[in-house]
Amino acid sequence: MNDEPESRDPGLDPQGSPRPGGAAVLHRALVERALDEGDAAHALRWIDELPAAEQPDWLVDVWILAGSPRAVRQVLPAVRDPARRARAERFLADPPPIAPLHAASYEALTELAARHAANGLASALACAHLGLAELAPRSDWRALHVEHASSLASGLDDPRLSALVAAFEARLDADFGDAEEAFIAANHAVVEGEAHLPLAALWGHLVLDRLGEAGALERARVVAHALGVPLPVDVWGLGAPLERPTLAPPPSDDVDPSTSGDPS
């Protein structure tokens, strides 16, 4: 007869709690190392191995690193550590600066974007794509980078990034000659940029100026002066100024029965 005690997980005590030096301790150390290295993706991998009750305290650090206000807000109610709660609240109230990333070349920024993607740094990756749009040697590559940035921004729920993406979409629409879409996106960039990121408003005004909006160029100069930057020069190879679109009026509430297709 085998009198040996029942086999147990060496990382747990008889009550099922983590032993000092057990598996949970190792996984916490791996999470900490990944966070220290700026690797949100691998931190998530090891957080999944931790007890469910302590995961929110680590997840909030990951989402701050990834730059996701939406995820931070979602996990914050379950965070128990006061220091982490305070850090998360500071992130939501005063997030780190955001702007297109710059590099010496398209190839160098491509390498940086690949590292951001591997590390799960979604906000930085979106900014890298906007920087790549500036450096792209072809218009179809530029469009693809703006599309990638837009997709990332929609998941992060950062109004500053959304405003900046709208400004780049306006520039892109103007580049391809779609005046109506450029007008809509530029106005969105101006409104959201004035509320959250003046750089987005600056680009929005410049696109509106190209569309013939009266006073847009002067407003762009005012924003540039306030930011302490020269007025940007668009290097996307835009052609002649577009005509300001005539937007279709909203549908009337009074529907003509003769055109509604109703046989009655």
Side-chain angles (χ1 to χ4, degrees):
M1 180 176 178
N2 186 356
D3 293 329
E4 291 183 5
E6 182 182 353
S7 175
R8 293 182 180 275
D9 185 334
L12 303 178
D13 65 17
Q15 285 73 43
S17 299
R19 291 182 186 274
V25 173
L26 173 62
H27 293 148
R28 290 188 202 101
L30 290 169
V31 173
E32 286 182 318
R33 185 173 71 177
L35 290 171
D36 289 342
E37 293 174 351
D39 190 341
H42 280 86
L44 278 175
R45 158 72 179 86
W46 296 114
I47 286 173
D48 286 342
E49 303 294 332
L50 293 174
E54 66 180 83
Q55 288 185 13
D57 281 8
W58 295 102
L59 284 172
V60 77
D61 287 341
V62 169
W63 299 134
I64 289 173
L65 182 60
S68 176
R70 172 176 292 166
V72 170
R73 282 192 292 268
Q74 288 175 342
V75 77
L76 185 55
V79 174
R80 299 178 298 180
D81 178 41
R84 285 188 168 101
R85 288 189 63 86
R87 184 160 58 247
E89 289 164 357
R90 286 195 301 272
F91 169 79
L92 293 174
D94 187 22
I98 190 168
L101 296 183
H102 298 283
S105 67
Y106 182 85
E107 292 73 20
L109 192 48
T110 297
E111 292 178 5
L112 180 60
R115 290 199 296 274
H116 288 334
N119 292 335
L121 306 184
S123 180
L125 178 58
C127 290
H129 275 299
L130 294 179
L132 284 165
E134 291 284 11
L135 297 172
R138 292 171 37 168
S139 60
D140 55 341
W141 293 10
R142 181 179 303 136
L144 187 60
H145 287 304
V146 174
E147 182 180 339
H148 282 318
S150 178
S151 178
L152 288 162
S154 67
L156 297 175
D157 197 24
D158 183 337
R160 303 167 306 154
L161 183 56
S162 296
L164 191 56
V165 166
F168 273 66
E169 288 173 336
R171 297 172 65 194
L172 194 65
D173 289 330
D175 198 16
F176 282 101
D178 192 332
E180 184 170 333
E181 290 298 321
F183 183 78
I184 294 170
N187 272 291
H188 179 71
V190 167
V191 172
E192 293 301 308
E194 288 176 347
H196 303 290
L197 190 72
L199 179 61
L202 173 57
W203 278 113
H205 285 309
L206 289 174
V207 173
L208 289 174
D209 173 64
R210 187 162 184 262
L211 294 170
E213 181 82 2
L217 183 58
E218 183 56 34
R219 290 191 290 273
R221 290 196 177 101
V222 170
V223 177
H225 178 75
L227 289 173
V229 298
L231 199 66
V233 176
D234 206 317
V235 295
W236 286 9
L238 303 181
L242 304 175
E243 292 185 7
R244 179 176 175 177
T246 301
L247 300 182
S252 171
D253 291 335
D254 299 324
V255 179
D256 182 355
S258 66
T259 61
S260 66
D262 186 346
S264 61

